[in-house]
Amino acid sequence: MALIEYNQIYGEERELEDFPLPTFKEYAAADIDLTFFDGDEHAELHKVDGTEYLVIIEEDDVRQHAAHWEAGAKQNFDMGLYNAHTILYIKAKDYGPKPKVGKYLVLDEGTDHKRTYKILHCEDDAGVYRMTMERVRQ
């Protein structure tokens, strides 16, 4: 015996073909907008190349370059001291055409946190660009 039983009929009795069920891709696209890129839950507003978007930023790692000490200071002028790797997730429909590898991307321009990155890799996964980026830190 069921705890709750109900019978819903909307207007006339209709066949299931009149109301096709959403596909998995449609459910996934809705999840991307409603969950993954929800500003109250997961995503944050950032300026990307001068335009504000809801994005997800994942700080990947920092790699130190070989350098030498001279006159009490670490010297490595040609490559910087560190490479900081960051992953940026942004909706493809917001950003536009897929960026090319090697393109420079400016994040949070006009704020105290402005950073310029070089795109190392970009892939489109279900309408979301996953950009692996690098910036040289002095």
Side-chain angles (χ1 to χ4, degrees), residues 95 97-104 118-122 131:
Y95 189 78
K98 185 175 174 182
K100 296 194 183 290
V101 171
K103 176 189 182 294
Y104 285 91
K118 181 179 181 179
I119 298 174
L120 300 178
H121 182 68
C122 180
M131 296 182 207

Side-chain angles (χ1 to χ4, degrees), residues 78-105:
D78 58 337
M79 297 173 65
L81 297 177
Y82 299 92
N83 277 2
H85 289 233
T86 301
I87 298 172
L88 174 78
Y89 298 91
I90 187 168
K91 287 190 267 184
K93 67 181 178 182
D94 289 349
Y95 189 78
K98 185 175 174 182
K100 296 194 183 290
V101 171
K103 176 189 182 294
Y104 285 91
L105 181 139

Side-chain angles (χ1 to χ4, degrees), residues 120-137:
L120 300 178
H121 182 68
C122 180
E123 57 189 58
D124 185 349
D125 189 14
V128 176
Y129 290 145
R130 181 184 190 271
M131 296 182 207
T132 304
M133 307 180 304
E134 170 185 73
R135 77 181 173 95
V136 177
R137 295 169 63 179

Side-chain angles (χ1 to χ4, degrees), residues 3 6 8 21-22 25-26 28 31 34 53 62 66 68-69 83 90 92 97 110 114-115 121-122 127-128 137:
L3 293 175
Y6 66 93
Q8 282 184 302
L21 296 174
K25 288 181 180 181
E26 291 169 337
D31 280 348
L34 299 174
Y53 299 108
V62 176
H68 65 279
W69 287 90
N83 277 2
I90 187 168
K114 176 186 172 188
R115 291 188 169 74
H121 182 68
C122 180
V128 176
R137 295 169 63 179

Side-chain angles (χ1 to χ4, degrees), residues 1-8:
M1 178 174 183
L3 293 175
I4 299 173
E5 291 184 29
Y6 66 93
N7 185 12
Q8 282 184 302

